[in-house]
Amino acid sequence: MIAHRNLGLVAAGATLLAAAPLSAIFERWTWLVQAVIAVAAVAAAAALARLGRTPLWVQILAMVGGLTLALTWLFPSGSELLAVLPTPATFGHFAELLGNSVEDMRSHGVKVPDTDPLLFVTVLGIGGVAVLVDVLCVGLRRPALAGLPMLAIYSVPVAVYVDSVPPVPFAIGAAGFLWLLVTDNVDRVRRFGRRFTGDGRDVDVWESSPLAAAGRRLAVVGLALAVLVPLAVPGMTAGLMTTLNSGAGSGIGPGFGGSPGRVDLFAALSGQLNQSQVTDLVTVTTTEEEPFYLRFGVADDLRTDGFRVRGPNGRRVNGDLPDPSGRSVPGVQRTRQRATVQVSRELNMPLLPVYAEPVSFAELGNSWFYDPNLQVVFSNRENSRGKEYSFDYVRSSYSPQALRRAQPLPADLPLRRQQTVTPDVPEVRTLVEDLTRGASTEYDKVRAIYDYFSEDNGFSYRLSTEQGTSGQAILDFLQNKVGYCQQYAAALAWMVRDAGIPARVAFGFTNGSRRSDDTLTLTNRNLHAWTEVYFDQIGWVPFDATPAYGVPGSTRSAWAPDVDAPEESTPQGGTSDTPDETDPSADAEQGPNQFEEGEDPGAAAGSDTPAEQRSRWPWLVAASVLTLLVLLAVPALRRLALRRRRGRPAPVVRTVDASDAAPSATGQPVMVVATDPDRARADAHAAWDELIDTLVDYRIGVDRTETPRATAERLARERLATQDDAGSAVRLLGRAEERARYARDPLTGEPLPAALRTVRGALAGQADRRTRLVATVLPPSVLSRWRTAVADNSSRLVNSAGQVRRRLLRFSPRRLIASRAGR
């Protein structure tokens, strides 16, 4: 009992050590204090339950009860009895905290503040893991399996942390798991008293032994693999292979706005906007009097749960970059500008803030790349913290007339296929059709949707959003009509895509409210998201649907004016602003689409987005189901093959020479048809083996010590007493096997396959439906034979490894030194 108590305390301590990586996602240490209280309550409840020598299920209930009491005390609802006894209102409060935790996860980027919902989920998870670890280590004595729930704690910061998880917390968690394994091993050894080495000398529990040395080596190898494998697997960390890649690379590695499986730009944006403290992030000096937004990221992969960021690909920024100023389009004015950006140490991400369409960079090394399709600057090895750099860029401004002249993209163009994919939400599609009805150009359709997000239609700006009831975020926003930039940008992009026009969400900074001459100081309150729409022969054009009064430093343009401002006379589709068919300047620019098949910038070489972003999960599910069916069919096919092979007895024809055989009446040699004795024995053995496998399949006991005749008589008496044909058939099989084993001449000329079919049919008729199904799909005889083969091969492998080890020990330096010293 003392050993169990000690092991239970070690299990609790190891659980807390395994939770060390959570320190990377919380601002304070409140979660740790509360987790210690919860784990201590679980350990105390388990120790009290074991004092009464209660069964395991009682211990589990006691631990769950202790965790519930701890949660009640830590997160009270105000209706508890004696401050620790929960009431029905307490559990309702817990459910409310769980629901609010989902909203907090969306609203806060790491590091997260100490909110009750997030703390409750964290403490509940750690307490639940403590229960599982205690059950596995103390109750079931399977400490190795305890690593799985402990690994679940570590997977949380790996999944949500915007940077690579620091190695020190991981090492602390690994040390806790090793501590648990060592304690369990010592406890097992102490049950048998003293240990002895091979020469009979007793040694202390902690003294080294060959088995312990082997265990240490395995532990070291396992720990090394646990550290190195995550480094080499993209998505778990930045990826060692990605870090070492010196080419263009893919993925944006660790940091703010990481790969799609991590905290995305939306969550990071929400967390920064919700912070009460204002922090300077970027200082930018530009030659442009009224610059547009400074941008750093793009989300263009639309799923059912919203837009996601895909990994960029591109060329080094110190090489040749595309220069759009060489393209002349009527109504599009392009000017070359220069900017210098200084990033503070508070902004840490693998992306650099730049103005759209940069053409050259200075003060940046080979680690930074530019994706001309996403128009982002990224790195796989460095981050933006403290960076200072200068770059030239092209500022484009568009007239509404130029945008109206843009022709619809061909339906089969990869860019349009990729950037117009939307989930099937009929309510949104119906709204888009109503808004764009009567619009004759692409721009008029975009403006109709853009103008919808106005104060006249009930939309307003607020950092805190209301929870909807539809179960879909976009429908909730369109119903509540309250939100901030990320809701407006994502909703506009979604609806524009539903109109068949490519759109995406861009992230960056507004111009803010702190300007000194040509220098802008941008803070976390100036972080912003807006929509970019693609027009043929023009490119990506920005549209900001967020109400201007809620965004400090908001910028509006002639093609996307402030919809809440007093109305201005804006030409609509079909008016005189639309280029006349006889206008030669318009005809000159109306030529063929500038993008041909295969030249879509969104499908550039190296892009990790497929040419057509259709949902692949039905194919994955179908492939998984097909693979599972194939695997399930393997035992049945193996059983069928054995049955067919065993049911092919055939006579062997041989010709007897005339000198050895009596001639016939005509004097010719006689052709004798006979059965080879060896073949007859093989047929008898095959028929008997098939009978034994049939008994195993139908769950009929098989006694290997019985003779074939005794087994046949037992079956005929116990199983086939009412079926004379089956009883005779099983006796025939027993007699054939007996003659094949013990007689000089085997039994020949008997229809053994027919007898087998008769016996099998009789046994199948007596079995229930479940037994027949299992015998057909997963025959126990095949599975048993496979298990035996695996065990035999494992034993042989262990023996071979032992022999190799003994041979290698002959050359051990320790052994050679000892032998020389003995001389």
Side-chain angles (χ1 to χ4, degrees):
M1 190 59 63
I2 294 177
H4 279 182
R5 188 158 59 245
N6 292 338
L7 189 57
L9 293 177
V10 173
T15 302
L16 291 175
L17 292 178
L22 293 178
S23 61
I25 63 176
F26 278 94
E27 290 181 350
R28 303 177 183 274
W29 293 94
T30 309
W31 70 272
L32 181 58
V33 176
Q34 295 179 341
V36 170
I37 295 174
V39 173
V42 170
L48 291 175
R50 293 188 186 104
L51 285 177
R53 298 182 179 275
T54 57
L56 181 60
W57 64 271
V58 175
Q59 300 174 22
I60 296 175
L61 290 179
M63 287 186 284
V64 173
L67 177 60
T68 303
L69 294 178
L71 291 174
T72 303
W73 183 60
L74 293 171
F75 304 96
S77 64
S79 62
E80 290 77 16
L81 301 177
L82 302 177
V84 293
L85 298 179
T87 61
T90 304
F91 294 103
H93 177 59
F94 289 170
E96 183 180 357
L97 289 176
L98 286 175
N100 293 337
S101 66
V102 177
E103 186 64 26
D104 282 358
M105 292 177 190
R106 295 176 179 175
S107 301
H108 297 285
V110 291
K111 295 184 174 185
V112 298
D114 290 340
T115 64
D116 282 347
L118 293 179
L119 290 175
F120 175 78
V121 171
T122 302
V123 176
L124 176 63
I126 296 176
V129 170
V131 174
L132 292 177
V133 171
D134 190 280
V135 170
L136 292 172
C137 293
V138 184
L140 302 178
R141 300 312 300 267
R142 295 290 186 272
L145 294 179
L148 295 178
M150 294 169 69
L151 182 63
I153 299 179
Y154 178 70
S155 65
V156 174
V158 170
V160 305
Y161 191 51
V162 296
D163 232 331
S164 296
V165 179
V168 174
F170 169 72
I172 295 175
F177 181 55
L178 293 178
W179 179 29
L180 189 63
L181 295 179
V182 170
T183 304
D184 179 77
N185 179 58
V186 172
D187 178 63
R188 290 176 183 271
V189 170
R190 279 180 175 152
R191 293 184 181 185
F192 299 95
R194 305 288 293 177
R195 293 191 299 114
F196 291 88
T197 60
D199 55 3
R201 178 177 61 87
D202 66 331
V203 296
D204 187 74
V205 173
W206 293 101
E207 191 171 339
S208 177
S209 68
L211 183 60
R216 286 194 299 270
R217 287 192 293 269
L218 289 175
V220 171
V221 172
L223 184 60
L225 290 177
V227 173
L228 294 178
V229 170
L231 290 176
V233 177
M236 297 183 68
T237 63
L240 180 62
M241 300 306 175
T242 304
T243 303
L244 296 179
N245 185 9
S246 59
S250 64
I252 56 181
F256 181 102
S259 60
R262 296 172 154 188
V263 173
D264 57 22
L265 293 171
F266 287 105
L269 173 64
S270 303
Q272 292 289 340
L273 291 178
N274 282 308
Q275 287 186 0
S276 59
Q277 182 179 1
V278 178
T279 305
D280 293 345
L281 298 180
V282 174
T283 301
V284 55
T285 302
T286 176
T287 58
E288 190 176 0
E289 293 184 2
E290 295 296 333
F292 195 69
Y293 299 149
L294 191 70
R295 65 199 300 281
F296 55 73
V298 170
D300 61 355
D301 184 10
L302 180 56
R303 308 287 181 87
T304 55
D305 56 349
F307 281 88
R308 296 186 182 182
V309 178
R310 62 183 175 93
N313 296 271
R315 63 192 71 180
R316 288 189 175 90
V317 296
N318 52 13
D320 293 332
L321 301 183
D323 190 349
S325 59
R327 293 184 315 201
S328 177
V329 178
V332 178
Q333 182 180 1
R334 305 184 193 273
T335 59
R336 195 180 182 99
Q337 307 289 343
R338 184 169 182 81
T340 300
V341 176
Q342 184 175 0
V343 182
S344 74
R345 299 194 63 81
E346 302 298 327
L347 184 60
N348 180 18
M349 60 180 181
L351 301 165
L352 290 182
V354 295
Y355 289 112
E357 301 179 304
V359 294
S360 65
F361 284 87
E363 295 94 26
L364 286 180
N366 293 330
S367 299
W368 292 95
F369 302 88
Y370 175 67
D371 187 331
N373 307 315
L374 301 178
Q375 297 176 330
V376 298
V377 178
F378 66 98
S379 175
N380 294 319
R381 292 185 290 178
E382 296 188 35
N383 56 59
S384 60
R385 177 181 296 174
K387 285 289 182 182
E388 183 175 358
Y389 50 94
S390 300
F391 61 95
D392 293 335
Y393 66 97
V394 173
R395 169 66 191 277
S396 300
S397 58
Y398 318 92
S399 66
Q401 295 80 4
L403 296 178
R404 282 195 178 91
R405 285 194 293 267
Q407 297 298 303
L409 296 174
D412 59 346
L413 193 70
L415 173 65
R416 179 170 180 176
R417 292 202 307 266
Q418 293 169 9
Q419 303 297 330
T420 57
V421 173
T422 58
D424 186 16
V425 183
E427 296 86 347
V428 177
R429 187 166 290 113
T430 301
L431 175 61
V432 171
E433 291 175 354
D434 293 340
L435 293 175
T436 59
R437 187 175 292 113
S440 59
T441 67
E442 302 282 89
Y443 173 70
D444 290 328
K445 293 179 181 179
V446 176
R447 277 297 306 270
I449 301 172
Y450 173 81
D451 294 343
Y452 173 69
F453 295 97
S454 65
E455 191 174 3
D456 293 339
N457 291 323
F459 285 90
S460 61
Y461 182 88
R462 191 187 305 167
L463 282 178
S464 60
T465 57
E466 299 179 6
Q467 189 70 24
T469 59
S470 68
Q472 291 180 301
I474 186 171
L475 292 181
D476 293 341
F477 171 67
L478 294 177
Q479 179 181 2
N480 298 329
K481 299 184 178 181
V482 174
Y484 51 103
C485 57
Q486 75 175 48
Q487 281 85 13
Y488 282 94
L492 176 60
W494 186 315
M495 296 173 69
V496 169
R497 284 190 173 200
D498 259 338
I501 305 172
R504 64 190 186 187
V505 178
F507 300 87
F509 295 88
T510 66
N511 290 331
S513 57
R514 295 168 56 186
R515 179 165 186 169
S516 176
D517 296 331
D518 56 355
T519 300
L520 303 173
T521 301
L522 309 178
T523 70
N524 57 312
R525 292 304 180 90
N526 303 134
L527 285 165
H528 191 49
W530 62 94
T531 306
E532 293 180 343
V533 181
Y534 190 86
F535 290 91
D536 179 33
Q537 299 190 13
I538 294 177
W540 293 101
V541 179
F543 288 81
D544 188 2
T546 307
Y549 65 83
V551 182
S554 175
T555 299
R556 291 299 185 262
S557 55
W559 67 89
D562 186 359
V563 295
D564 294 328
E567 291 187 6
E568 299 179 0
S569 57
T570 304
Q572 300 298 323
T575 65
S576 59
D577 290 311
T578 304
D580 188 22
E581 294 181 358
T582 60
D583 183 3
S585 62
D587 292 338
E589 298 298 332
Q590 292 290 337
N593 191 286
Q594 70 178 87
F595 293 108
E596 299 296 336
E597 185 70 29
E599 296 180 356
D600 169 40
S607 175
D608 60 357
T609 303
E612 186 172 357
Q613 294 199 10
R614 296 177 179 175
S615 178
R616 292 182 294 178
W617 69 265
W619 297 102
L620 296 177
V621 172
S624 302
V625 172
L626 181 61
T627 303
L628 180 61
L629 293 177
V630 170
L631 293 176
L632 290 176
V634 171
L637 295 176
R638 174 60 178 167
R639 185 73 181 88
L640 181 62
L642 281 174
R643 188 180 303 125
R644 288 185 176 181
R645 188 178 65 187
R646 291 166 175 170
R648 295 179 182 173
V652 178
V653 180
R654 56 181 179 178
T655 303
V656 183
D657 187 72
S659 60
D660 298 329
S664 63
T666 60
Q668 297 296 326
V670 179
M671 182 72 68
V672 178
V673 178
T675 302
D676 186 3
D678 294 335
R679 180 61 184 270
R681 287 191 177 88
D683 291 342
H685 293 326
W688 186 255
D689 291 340
E690 178 62 25
L691 175 63
I692 296 300
D693 284 351
T694 301
L695 298 179
V696 174
D697 291 340
Y698 290 115
R699 306 294 183 183
I700 299 174
V702 177
D703 189 353
R704 301 290 182 178
T705 63
E706 286 183 335
T707 63
R709 178 178 297 183
T711 300
E713 290 296 335
R714 177 170 59 83
L715 291 175
R717 182 176 62 256
E718 297 178 359
R719 297 282 181 170
L720 307 173
T722 60
Q723 304 183 41
D724 295 337
D725 294 343
S728 301
V730 74
R731 289 188 178 94
L732 173 61
L733 295 175
R735 190 165 62 253
E737 175 65 11
E738 185 180 44
R739 290 278 299 274
R741 289 186 186 182
Y742 310 119
R744 174 175 297 180
D745 297 323
L747 187 66
T748 58
E750 298 293 342
L752 299 184
L756 262 177
R757 289 192 293 270
T758 301
V759 175
R760 183 177 180 85
L763 295 177
Q766 296 178 2
D768 56 65
R769 181 180 301 176
R770 180 179 180 276
T771 302
R772 290 196 302 270
L773 179 62
V774 173
T776 303
V777 179
L778 296 172
S781 59
V782 174
L783 300 181
S784 176
R785 191 174 290 110
W786 285 352
R787 285 195 297 268
T788 303
V790 170
D792 293 342
N793 291 332
S794 300
S795 299
R796 285 195 293 268
L797 182 62
V798 170
N799 292 334
S800 299
Q803 293 176 3
V804 171
R805 181 176 180 276
R806 284 193 294 272
R807 291 191 178 97
L808 293 177
L809 284 177
R810 297 177 183 178
F811 305 99
S812 172
R814 183 182 302 177
R815 184 185 183 94
L816 295 176
I817 293 174
S819 60
R820 291 184 179 181
R823 295 177 184 176

